[in-house]
Amino acid sequence: MAKGNHKEIRGRPHNLLEHYQPIDGVVDEMVDASGNPRPVWKEFIEALEELGPEELAQRFARADQYLRDAGVYYRLYDQAGANEREWPLAHVPLLIEEQEWAAISAGLVQRAELFEETIADIYGPNHLVGKGILPAGLIAASPEYLRPVVGTRPASGHFLHFCAFELGRGPDGRWWVLGDRTQAPSGAGFALENRVATTRALSDIYGEMHVHRLAGFFRRFRDALNGMAKVSGGRVAILTPGPLNETYYEHAYIARYLGIMLLEGEDLTVSGGRLMVRTVSGLMPVSVLWRRLDAAFADPLELRPDSQIGTPGLVEAIRREAVSAVNALGSGLMETRALFAFLPKISRELRNEELLLPSVATWWCGRDADRDHVLANLDRMVIGPALSTRLAFEDDGCTRLGSALVAGARAELIARIERDGGAFVGQEAVTLSTTPVYVGGWLEPRPAALRVYLARTPEGWTVMPGGFARVGFSLDPTAIAMQRGGQAADVWVVSDGPVERETLLPQEHDSFTRTSPGSLPSRAAENLTWLGRYIERSEDTVRILRAYHVRLAEASDPDMPLLADIRDHLEPFGIDVAAAIPPGLIGTLDSAVYSAGQIRDRFSPDGWLALNDLSKTIHQFATTVAPGDDATRAMTVILRKLAGFSGLLHENMYRFTGWRFLEIGRRLERGIQIARTLARLTGAAAPEGALDMMLEIGDSVMTHRRQYPVQAGRRTVIDLLVLDPLNPRSILFQLERLKAEIALLPSIGGEGHMSPAAKEILQLNTAIAIKEPSDMTAKALDDLATEIGGLYNSLAKAYFG
């Protein structure tokens, strides 16, 4: 990479390695033993140095801003509970040469094939246990060994379809497998976001280096899943534990990226032995389920009875080969730490091969020779639970470094191992290689582990050319764990020559199918409806509050009848105008964010960004805004952002069934709110100025002036805000839109049958269309609000049950 290519970039040449101090006895990914950059790093470091510290800081800030704007987060569990943490990007990627990556890939493909055969044996003929290669007691004791699926043949013919492996480079320069992820591997979506954020910051450098793209890996796996579903005549879905899961963002991101339904356990049911998803068009078959929850929670009927996130009957559907689970239930057994001790012998037995990538040296203390070795070498061992599925360097509260034990604890541990050796494993203490991180204008070494993903395709296993690296925030190797403040770095596999620019887009000759718009899960439809309602409710409240504070700022008497009337009107709905930004308003908007969070896979990044910006704004105003003129201006800002969010959805959202439910929610709520406010402000006891305020709240001041050559009177206000079919703020307009959208919803009783909701809206629409302004008394308006609200109950009964 010629330095001349960067002439126009601001900054001054800056020696990033001036203070770089590799750690003695530890392999550094960037520099060799002499402190010189390795070939794959040399031009990358030169390009960074030419940018200079100011430009680098700006670029890395740009990457962080992208992640914030995209709403990328990781749920952190601590003493304060579960909190969303901004995704911790380590801005400098880990670089690996293509030739070295090829060797890693070959070793991991071999390992994935070995695991496939091992799982097939354990849940099938059990030759490994029969020959004494695997201890029966160890397998039977594992909570990941699921007896209900013993003898079950996967519908796809394979137990494993998507795996991840945690790697570390040892002091000898070799890569070692530190952990296996066969249960429900996480992080692939975060790897994509790491790549996007990193290339946002270093687009010119990335463009000039020959870095392998990630999209091809995901396209091949997506096509493999769709191919499996096509054979069995169903749909592909991702099964998530839900929004409270630590990696839920990734579940939603991958579902959106690949165009796959994201479902929770309650969305599914088993009928006639088949797994079905509850949609607004009725039950529809799911034949491929990429599960992102632990297997034991998948079916409360046959596995963990306390699970509230599973689907009763799922095991039976799998047993009947009616659905392919990705990965098969019970495959998490291969993550068991003690199995490391047996893999070399298993490989020789099943494949007559030595492992190309060795595991970190492990001894199971249930065998006499292993136990004696561990006790004799305790000072260089990490001792942990044999059945744990966590990595040795992840602090699980149960793993102990032998050399760090004080006398009393050491004696107690030795006694426990001698008494119950089968419960423990000893592993060689891991010394991880280091990779550079950018700290305060300089590069510093930090321990790192590499996570690599494999996916099964009809052509065999494909390896993601990158993955992501977990990087420590300090030199403590346990600090690479995300729950302990670790960072995540992009991984660039660098080629000597140009690489293929792969995308998810189909080739010109590829066939395609358009997904039926009726395949919308009922839970998603319900959340879309409530999102529409909460946004519209927020807007109505903001309009009322703005009108209130305008008059409060102008009034010499804060207790004037009109202001008192508005206070009384809002109080039953939890809106206390004593606060410039009432908690009730904040709560309504928080509910909108919650509903949107339940359907992240159906939200565009722009939509999510707009909603989060709105939420941040209103929370900020809550602590800075005073009643009166200040609140008036704040309400105008909030109203503008609400309108921007609604407009974004209206203009950009595909007009499928989900959009109809969102629109129905908006129209229901607008009709209800207008009717309630009209009943209050047009009643016989309404105070002076109420009609003008009503027109302001209904955003119809200018329209009224154009339509009626008289001052606002009760009849003209009612005519405009109730009976005018052309006014987008009138109740009749909402009913017309509801009638049109409900008529286009999937048929419930079969073609030609009108649903109860369709009948109700037709009757209500007709009844209002023939009314006169004089018919719309305060009671009639209150009754109308109730009737519109009743439409929701009919819709819920038909589509959300």
Side-chain angles (χ1 to χ4, degrees):
M1 184 182 301
K3 289 189 176 184
N5 294 339
H6 299 280
K7 285 182 179 177
E8 297 183 2
I9 298 177
R10 296 193 313 275
R12 56 181 176 79
H14 179 58
N15 184 1
L16 291 171
L17 301 184
E18 184 176 343
H19 302 290
Y20 198 79
Q21 294 292 331
I23 303 169
D24 290 340
V26 175
V27 171
D28 190 273
E29 297 294 334
M30 182 178 66
V31 300
D32 58 23
S34 302
N36 298 315
R38 301 180 190 277
V40 72
W41 285 88
K42 189 173 184 299
E43 57 180 326
F44 177 80
I45 295 301
E46 289 176 352
L48 287 187
E49 288 179 337
E50 190 163 337
L51 293 177
E54 292 183 6
E55 178 71 16
L56 274 179
Q58 291 174 9
R59 288 182 174 222
F60 292 154
R62 189 184 309 156
D64 293 336
Q65 187 61 52
Y66 161 76
L67 293 169
R68 284 192 293 271
D69 289 347
V72 185
Y73 71 90
Y74 181 86
R75 197 171 295 281
L76 180 67
Y77 300 103
D78 54 24
Q79 293 180 345
N83 301 296
E84 292 183 6
R85 176 191 178 197
E86 290 184 359
W87 185 246
L89 178 69
H91 302 102
V92 178
L94 170 62
L95 274 55
I96 300 178
E97 291 179 329
E98 184 180 51
Q99 186 176 359
E100 184 175 27
W101 191 260
I104 291 172
S105 298
L108 294 182
V109 168
Q110 179 204 46
R111 195 175 186 93
E113 291 288 3
L114 175 63
F115 281 15
E116 173 71 30
E117 294 180 28
T118 304
I119 297 171
D121 178 79
I122 290 173
Y123 287 101
N126 232 343
H127 293 316
L128 293 172
V129 170
K131 292 182 178 182
I133 297 172
L134 275 177
L138 177 64
I139 300 300
S142 173
E144 301 300 336
Y145 177 65
L146 305 182
R147 288 178 177 80
V149 298
V150 170
T152 299
R153 179 181 179 274
S156 67
H158 298 288
F159 288 85
L160 295 179
H161 296 269
F162 193 85
C163 306
F165 299 96
E166 204 87 28
L167 307 181
R169 196 196 295 271
D172 61 356
R174 298 179 65 191
W175 288 100
W176 294 74
V177 179
L178 307 177
D180 306 300
R181 293 290 175 255
T182 55
Q183 173 77 267
S186 64
F190 290 125
L192 277 170
E193 288 286 36
N194 286 346
R195 174 61 55 88
V196 174
T198 302
T199 53
R200 287 280 180 98
L202 306 173
S203 57
D204 47 353
I205 301 174
Y206 177 80
E208 293 181 29
M209 298 185 73
H210 305 305
V211 182
H212 283 271
R213 270 55 175 176
L214 305 182
F217 171 84
F218 289 97
R219 188 189 71 245
R220 286 186 282 275
F221 186 51
R222 178 200 62 188
D223 293 347
L225 293 176
N226 288 333
M228 290 163 57
K230 188 175 181 181
V231 168
S232 46
R235 290 161 175 75
V236 181
I238 296 176
L239 178 61
T240 174
L244 293 181
N245 183 260
E246 61 184 358
T247 56
Y248 175 75
Y249 170 84
E250 183 210 0
H251 305 169
Y253 179 83
I254 286 289
R256 186 172 63 242
Y257 184 70
L258 299 182
I260 297 174
M261 282 196 299
L262 183 67
L263 304 177
E264 296 181 28
E266 65 182 274
D267 295 325
L268 295 163
T269 187
V270 175
S271 177
R274 292 207 68 178
L275 185 66
M276 314 291 281
V277 55
R278 296 181 177 93
T279 78
V280 294
S281 299
L283 297 180
M284 294 188 175
V286 172
S287 56
V288 179
L289 193 65
W290 183 4
R291 62 177 182 84
R292 299 303 303 273
L293 55 77
D294 288 352
F297 293 90
D299 184 349
L301 205 59
E302 297 202 49
L303 300 172
R304 284 190 58 155
D306 61 336
S307 172
Q308 297 183 18
I309 56 176
T311 303
L314 178 58
V315 169
E316 180 60 23
I318 291 173
R319 196 178 285 134
R320 292 190 182 195
E321 300 183 28
V323 60
S324 294
V326 177
N327 289 325
L329 300 183
S331 56
L333 178 66
M334 297 309 299
E335 297 185 1
T336 305
R337 198 181 293 180
L339 286 185
F340 272 27
F342 303 92
L343 288 179
K345 192 170 183 180
I346 293 174
S347 183
R348 290 190 288 269
E349 172 67 24
L350 294 181
R351 302 179 60 83
N352 195 28
E353 295 174 348
E354 297 297 327
L355 292 173
L356 297 176
L357 277 178
S359 309
V360 60
T362 303
W363 293 265
W364 178 52
C365 296
R367 296 187 293 192
D368 292 344
D370 284 20
R371 181 176 62 252
D372 293 344
H373 178 82
V374 168
L375 293 176
N377 297 275
L378 194 61
D379 284 343
R380 62 185 185 89
M381 291 284 176
V382 173
I383 309 299
L387 300 179
S388 173
T389 59
R390 302 188 66 171
L391 275 63
F393 57 77
E394 292 179 336
D395 183 13
D396 57 6
C398 302
T399 300
R400 299 287 182 268
L401 181 62
S403 61
L405 292 170
V406 296
R410 183 186 184 91
E412 180 185 352
L413 180 60
I414 291 173
R416 290 179 63 193
I417 293 174
E418 290 176 337
R419 183 173 64 251
D420 186 16
F424 296 92
V425 291
Q427 294 183 295
E428 283 195 355
V430 175
T431 301
L432 296 173
S433 62
T434 56
T435 193
V437 298
Y438 189 76
V439 181
W442 308 98
L443 293 180
E444 296 183 6
R446 292 289 186 271
L450 174 63
R451 181 173 293 184
V452 186
Y453 299 89
L454 279 73
R456 186 185 293 281
T457 72
E459 293 74 36
W461 289 100
T462 182
V463 181
M464 182 193 292
F468 78 81
R470 295 196 291 170
V471 183
F473 72 94
S474 71
L475 293 176
D476 178 4
T478 66
I480 75 170
M482 303 300 288
Q483 291 290 337
R484 299 199 64 201
Q487 306 169 82
D490 191 14
V491 178
W492 291 7
V493 177
V494 183
S495 173
D496 292 334
V499 298
E500 185 178 355
R501 294 181 177 273
E502 297 187 279
T503 72
L504 277 187
L505 297 176
Q507 302 300 314
E508 190 63 33
H509 60 274
D510 290 347
S511 60
F512 66 90
T513 354
R514 181 177 292 163
T515 305
S516 165
S519 56
L520 175 72
S522 298
R523 182 181 54 82
E526 185 175 15
N527 277 293
L528 283 163
T529 304
W530 275 106
L531 173 61
R533 293 194 66 172
Y534 286 133
I535 288 297
E536 194 62 39
R537 189 177 299 176
S538 298
E539 180 178 337
D540 178 78
T541 304
V542 168
R543 288 186 179 279
I544 294 175
L545 288 171
R546 184 173 67 168
Y548 175 88
H549 285 288
V550 164
R551 286 152 181 81
L552 180 64
E554 297 171 349
S556 56
D557 180 11
D559 292 324
M560 62 183 289
L562 182 56
L563 296 184
D565 203 47
I566 289 298
R567 287 196 294 270
D568 292 342
H569 173 63
L570 292 175
E571 186 179 5
F573 307 112
I575 306 298
D576 182 3
V577 297
I581 310 294
L585 173 60
I586 297 173
T588 301
L589 196 58
D590 285 346
S591 295
V593 174
Y594 176 81
S595 292
Q598 303 292 309
I599 45 175
R600 279 293 295 268
D601 59 310
R602 297 178 180 274
F603 243 76
S604 72
D606 285 341
W608 187 255
L609 174 60
L611 185 58
N612 267 312
D613 179 55
L614 176 59
S615 178
K616 289 177 183 176
T617 298
I618 200 167
H619 279 87
Q620 180 183 1
F621 282 168
T623 60
T624 60
V625 170
D629 191 56
D630 200 21
T632 301
R633 289 194 297 271
M635 293 302 164
T636 299
V637 172
I638 295 169
L639 193 60
R640 187 168 62 244
K641 294 194 174 189
L642 276 165
F645 174 71
S646 297
L648 189 65
L649 294 183
H650 184 80
E651 291 299 322
N652 294 350
M653 197 169 176
Y654 185 73
R655 293 319 196 245
F656 73 132
T657 313
W659 181 86
R660 301 197 188 287
F661 280 101
L662 180 69
E663 180 73 356
I664 285 169
R666 290 182 61 221
R667 300 303 173 183
L668 281 172
E669 194 66 30
R670 183 175 292 184
I672 293 169
Q673 297 300 332
I674 288 289
R676 284 175 174 168
T677 311
L678 275 166
R680 186 83 186 197
L681 295 181
T682 64
E688 183 182 353
L691 294 178
D692 289 332
M693 179 182 271
M694 186 66 240
L695 288 173
E696 189 177 323
I697 292 168
D699 197 21
S700 297
V701 174
M702 296 300 297
T703 306
H704 186 275
R705 290 173 184 170
R706 287 195 303 267
Q707 293 291 96
Y708 306 96
V710 293
Q711 274 194 318
R714 185 180 187 279
R715 288 190 303 164
T716 61
V717 172
I718 292 290
D719 187 60
L720 182 59
L721 290 177
V722 179
L723 304 176
D724 191 333
L726 302 181
N727 182 7
R729 291 282 164 180
S730 79
I731 295 174
L732 184 58
F733 186 93
Q734 315 315 312
L735 298 180
E736 293 279 6
R737 294 303 309 147
L738 285 168
K739 183 178 72 171
E741 299 303 339
I742 291 174
L744 292 172
L745 293 179
S747 178
I748 295 299
E751 294 301 327
H753 289 269
M754 188 178 286
S755 70
K759 292 178 182 178
E760 287 180 38
I761 186 58
L762 179 60
Q763 290 173 343
L764 189 54
N765 183 70
T766 304
I768 298 302
I770 62 174
K771 295 290 187 185
E772 295 292 334
S774 57
D775 298 326
M776 305 310 299
T777 63
K779 183 179 184 307
L781 288 165
D782 276 330
D783 291 344
L784 179 57
T786 302
E787 289 183 82
I788 297 173
L791 284 171
Y792 174 81
N793 298 329
S794 297
L795 288 166
K797 185 176 180 181
Y799 296 105
F800 309 153

